[in-house]
Amino acid sequence: MHSTAQTDEQRHDAHGEGGGVGEYLLHRAKPHLPPWLAGAGTGLASLPAHYFWSGEPGVTAGLTLASVALTGLTWWAGRSTTQQRRLHSAVTVAAASTWFTAAAIAGPTAGPLGELYFIGAPALALSWNIRQILRRNVDGPTGSADGGFLEKVGLAKTQVIRSEVGPNKASFDLQLPRGELTPDDVSKNITRIAGALDVPKNAIRIQENPDSASRVMLTVVPLDLLKNTVPCPGPSAPGESISFPVVVGIYEDGTPVTMWFPGDPDAARNAMMLLLMGMTGSGKSEGGLTALAEVLTRKDVIVWASDPAKKEQTLGPLLPAIDWAALDMPSTKAMIEALKAVIPARTAWMAKYGYKQWVPACAETQADGAPGMPYLLAWFEEAAKTIREIDDDVFTGLAQEARSSGVSIVLSMQRASGNQVSTDTRASLGSSWCHGVRTEQDARFALDDEVLDAGAAPHVWKDKKPGYSYLVANGVPDDNWPTPLRDYLCSVDYLNWVVVTFADIRAQIDPVTAGAAARAADRAFTARTHYPMPGTTDQPETTMPAAHGPDEDYDADGYYPGEGDYDRRPSNGTDEEDDYEEGEFIDAEQELPEIEEVVQFAARPPADGPRPKISTAEARAAMEEVLADFEDEGRDVVGPADFMEYCDRYGRGRSWVSGQVAQFVLAGRLAETNEVGRYRIMPYQVAA
């Protein structure tokens, strides 16, 4: 954009259409004429003043007092200007008023007054002309245009080269005094800048200029536009490849937050190994579920997930879409051993077909008819427990070797301190997604010093702003690293919808990965549990593993304690009365064999009578009756455990009850609360 002076100069170009040379020169001289006109006017005014006032003692005293008063008034009026301008103005008024007083009394030609006039008046006029010329700097501003703000915050002599102001964002390109200040000095003054602007500390961010160590970009975001929960808008690329970006939230300016799991040789981007960190209550797990839900809408990726601490509490809604879920420590150890075998097997397969790293073509049928190899995402929730019980360096080698094999590893934990994760592991992961943490030292376990120096401050949020986070990952622009974002929030209904809707397009595990995992983990992999789709009455399909750990949900006899019925699970996972009609497989004429031995596996609790055998429809009706009873009792919040107390009405197990509770949620009869596993009862008129 041209300045006004430049525009006028072009408009009055002597060779253009604006006029002749005389008009151009007059136009150029106009801004510099006022000091000369003032000097000439003072000299001319002295002539009549001397004619009328010479020899008048009272006038002499009055003119002297007026001269002093004018000089003092000029000094007082210049208090809001720069010190140099204030002094220059006062000296000019004092010199002019003193000469005028002397000329009015003695005459403008008396003594040296004439010489002083013809020397002093042009000198003062020229001094103002020079000042006016220097005020215009074609190379940029030379003075402070911020009213002294930068001096107040310890950045004296810093110049604002360029500024850009938006509705809720202001960016300033600062030129630091060369050899006096560095970008580190600006970072150290972030707190003072925030205090001077009356904004939170993490509303200020500093970005160094890659081409000059004496320039920085200062960004101020005064209002928090992320304070409201942002519901997930839906899949960003449904049915597409995992090579498309995964959208997990929005930045403070409303742009989507994207991350990439596979690498891209064209973009020189490696596969992502991610550390997901945040203290309890920071929204870390919800952010992870959002990312996993996005991944599970893609056609060429499989997910292995582990959570030996919370088991189904976090991953529960997505378990039917996960190829292998390790929800206890023995299974988690087996998954890690499987990964150690899977990575070299996948690398060898890629080398055979000429792939240097995983690309979408790997998931397609190869030229020789061999089945493709989908991408593998290994997600470890509560990874600190896994590391404590195995080895603090257990993931280092996996993260280093997995990049070229089409495998991404995600470690989710509350605090990646040196006591829990080795520095080699943190260095191998490379990418981090940091939610609120307790201290700045905790933040340094996930974010680099330059990101924190640029203004990232997750320790300011702690657990007060769930879902707020910073993403430092491959493919994310550097200037977005210190920019706050907020994760999308996915409801259980949305997660169930993802599991069901994309079941047909979701990839199945390839023979190479499955074979390597089976050889390394044996029945821990081949007999892994496959969970039923939401809303069905099927129980998880599984085969009894060869060994059980102390964290198993079932005991050695196949009972499921806590369900209250002490009945064995039907072999195919469905209700027995739904599997066959009465008498279909029974020969009524056949005699019963004689009893040879009685074996008692466990003592049954006393019962008042036999349990009722009712159909599935009757069981659902009983569930609705129980819910109506809860409503009549005045209960507001219920959960599956409350329904299990009345299990004799419908003769079903815990999984079936949980599925029916999910159906109530989908129907609007129950609504989710902030507490996991607890639902608010919605009256029929509201639910409708």
Side-chain angles (χ1 to χ4, degrees):
M1 179 181 293
H2 295 288
S3 66
T4 302
Q6 290 172 321
T7 303
D8 292 342
E9 181 179 342
Q10 294 172 355
R11 187 181 302 165
H12 294 86
D13 191 347
H15 300 286
E17 300 177 359
V21 174
E23 184 178 351
Y24 170 74
L25 293 176
L26 178 62
H27 168 75
R28 297 294 295 165
K30 281 181 181 179
H32 306 288
L33 290 179
W36 296 90
L37 294 176
T42 301
L44 292 175
S46 66
L47 296 175
H50 173 66
Y51 178 80
F52 290 106
W53 293 340
S54 62
E56 296 289 339
V59 173
T60 302
L63 288 174
T64 302
L65 291 175
S67 176
V68 173
L70 284 174
T71 303
L73 178 63
T74 303
W75 181 259
W76 175 83
R79 68 188 187 281
S80 61
T81 64
T82 62
Q83 190 70 15
Q84 296 86 348
R85 187 179 185 88
R86 186 183 190 187
L87 180 62
H88 192 187
S89 301
V91 169
T92 301
V93 172
S97 60
T98 300
W99 183 89
F100 181 82
T101 299
I105 296 171
T109 60
L113 292 180
E115 290 81 356
L116 289 176
Y117 174 80
F118 286 106
I119 295 174
L124 287 175
L126 282 172
S127 69
W128 282 100
N129 291 159
I130 293 171
R131 187 183 186 91
Q132 187 175 11
I133 293 172
L134 292 178
R135 191 184 307 153
R136 177 187 170 193
N137 182 6
V138 296
D139 295 327
T142 59
S144 175
D146 50 50
F149 170 79
L150 293 174
E151 287 81 356
K152 294 178 182 177
V153 297
L155 301 177
K157 300 182 182 180
T158 299
Q159 300 173 5
V160 180
I161 303 299
R162 184 183 63 85
S163 63
E164 181 178 349
V165 180
N168 188 46
K169 184 177 180 180
S171 299
F172 304 94
D173 193 357
L174 304 181
Q175 174 64 61
L176 306 177
R178 294 180 177 88
E180 299 183 32
L181 294 178
T182 66
D184 290 339
D185 297 312
V186 183
S187 299
K188 294 175 183 177
N189 284 280
I190 283 182
T191 302
R192 297 177 63 180
I193 297 172
L197 295 175
D198 193 22
V199 297
K201 179 180 177 181
N202 56 0
I204 307 293
R205 287 185 296 281
I206 305 296
Q207 181 183 353
E208 297 185 21
N209 190 311
D211 300 324
S212 175
S214 66
R215 293 180 62 177
V216 296
M217 176 68 74
L218 173 68
T219 302
V220 184
V221 182
L223 299 179
D224 183 5
L225 299 182
L226 302 177
K227 61 184 178 180
N228 296 322
T229 301
V230 184
C232 183
S236 61
E240 298 293 344
S241 171
I242 188 61
S243 61
F244 282 66
V246 172
V247 181
V248 295
I250 59 171
Y251 287 110
E252 60 187 5
D253 59 359
T255 58
V257 179
T258 56
M259 61 171 62
W260 287 262
F261 285 101
D264 184 354
D266 295 333
R269 186 183 70 241
N270 291 324
M272 183 168 65
M273 307 293 150
L274 179 66
L275 170 63
L276 173 56
M277 197 181 86
M279 65 183 295
T280 300
S282 65
K284 166 180 63 68
S285 297
E286 287 74 11
L289 286 177
T290 299
L292 280 173
E294 264 279 88
V295 169
L296 292 172
T297 64
R298 307 301 173 84
K299 65 181 181 180
D300 51 6
V301 59
I302 59 174
V303 175
W304 288 0
S306 162
D307 191 345
K310 296 182 179 179
K311 302 182 183 297
E312 298 183 7
Q313 186 177 23
T314 300
L315 299 173
L318 297 178
L319 289 177
I322 293 175
D323 181 75
W324 185 5
L327 304 182
D328 53 48
M329 190 51 64
S331 299
T332 299
K333 292 179 179 179
M335 181 178 289
I336 293 174
E337 292 301 317
L339 282 172
K340 293 179 181 178
V342 161
I343 290 173
R346 291 171 64 94
T347 303
W349 183 91
M350 291 183 186
K352 175 183 176 181
Y353 290 99
Y355 300 110
K356 293 185 178 180
Q357 67 179 73
W358 192 92
V359 292
C362 292
E364 301 173 359
T365 302
Q366 302 304 299
D368 61 357
M373 176 181 289
Y375 200 78
L376 173 59
L377 174 60
W379 192 289
F380 291 87
E381 278 288 325
E382 302 300 332
K385 177 179 176 66
T386 301
I387 293 173
R388 283 196 307 269
E389 298 200 19
I390 302 179
D391 181 14
D392 64 351
D393 211 30
V394 64
F395 290 106
T396 302
L398 293 176
Q400 292 173 345
E401 300 164 3
R403 284 185 172 85
S404 60
S405 65
V407 177
S408 281
I409 296 176
V410 179
L411 303 186
S412 175
M413 62 182 67
Q414 296 180 18
R415 186 173 183 266
S417 65
N419 296 330
Q420 301 190 76
V421 183
S422 71
T423 55
D424 289 340
T425 299
R426 288 203 301 267
S428 299
L429 292 174
S431 299
S432 58
W433 188 5
C434 185
H435 292 68
V437 295
R438 191 170 301 279
T439 65
E440 184 174 0
Q441 181 58 39
D442 291 347
R444 294 186 185 278
F445 295 138
L447 301 177
D448 296 334
D449 288 343
E450 54 264 29
V451 179
L452 294 172
D453 293 342
H459 52 284
V460 174
W461 301 326
K462 292 183 171 60
D463 59 353
K464 303 300 186 294
K465 294 187 176 182
Y468 282 60
S469 57
Y470 296 99
L471 179 61
V472 178
N474 298 334
V476 177
D478 295 4
D479 55 351
N480 283 345
W481 289 0
T483 302
L485 62 97
R486 186 158 192 180
D487 311 337
Y488 289 140
L489 184 62
C490 296
S491 66
V492 173
D493 292 347
Y494 175 78
L495 299 178
N496 289 335
W497 176 80
V498 167
V499 169
V500 174
T501 303
F502 298 93
D504 293 337
I505 64 100
R506 203 169 293 126
Q508 300 297 316
I509 191 169
D510 59 282
V512 173
T513 303
R519 289 189 295 272
D522 196 19
R523 290 177 60 80
F525 172 77
T526 58
R528 65 195 186 279
T529 301
H530 295 284
Y531 291 82
M533 288 294 175
T536 65
T537 59
D538 295 337
Q539 302 291 342
E541 299 178 2
T542 184
T543 304
M544 187 70 68
H548 311 293
D551 296 328
E552 295 287 356
D553 287 336
Y554 43 80
D555 63 16
D557 291 326
Y559 291 105
Y560 287 76
E563 295 186 6
D565 55 7
Y566 287 83
D567 289 341
R568 288 183 179 272
R569 178 186 297 184
S571 59
N572 63 353
T574 59
D575 300 306
E576 291 184 0
E577 66 267 24
D578 294 336
D579 292 340
Y580 60 88
E581 297 180 1
E582 184 176 359
E584 182 180 357
F585 299 104
I586 299 176
D587 184 358
E589 303 297 331
Q590 182 179 359
E591 295 183 358
L592 295 175
E594 295 182 1
I595 298 175
E596 298 179 355
E597 182 181 1
V598 177
V599 179
Q600 182 173 347
F601 290 97
R604 291 179 177 270
D608 297 333
R611 291 175 52 117
K613 294 178 70 71
I614 60 178
S615 67
T616 302
E618 291 173 331
R620 294 194 183 103
M623 283 278 290
E624 294 177 357
E625 291 178 6
V626 171
L627 181 58
D629 292 342
F630 289 156
E631 190 174 6
D632 293 339
E633 293 171 5
R635 295 197 194 185
D636 294 328
V637 179
V638 296
D642 298 304
F643 289 96
M644 288 305 303
E645 297 178 4
Y646 299 85
C647 62
D648 286 340
R649 293 195 186 185
Y650 37 79
R652 294 297 189 275
R654 178 185 302 161
S655 299
W656 186 88
V657 171
S658 298
Q660 293 305 306
V661 171
Q663 289 293 328
F664 283 145
V665 174
L666 292 173
R669 191 70 171 91
L670 295 176
E672 293 180 332
T673 65
N674 293 331
E675 184 178 357
V676 177
R678 306 296 292 172
Y679 303 88
R680 187 175 304 281
I681 299 176
M682 306 299 293
Y684 272 113
Q685 59 270 26
V686 176

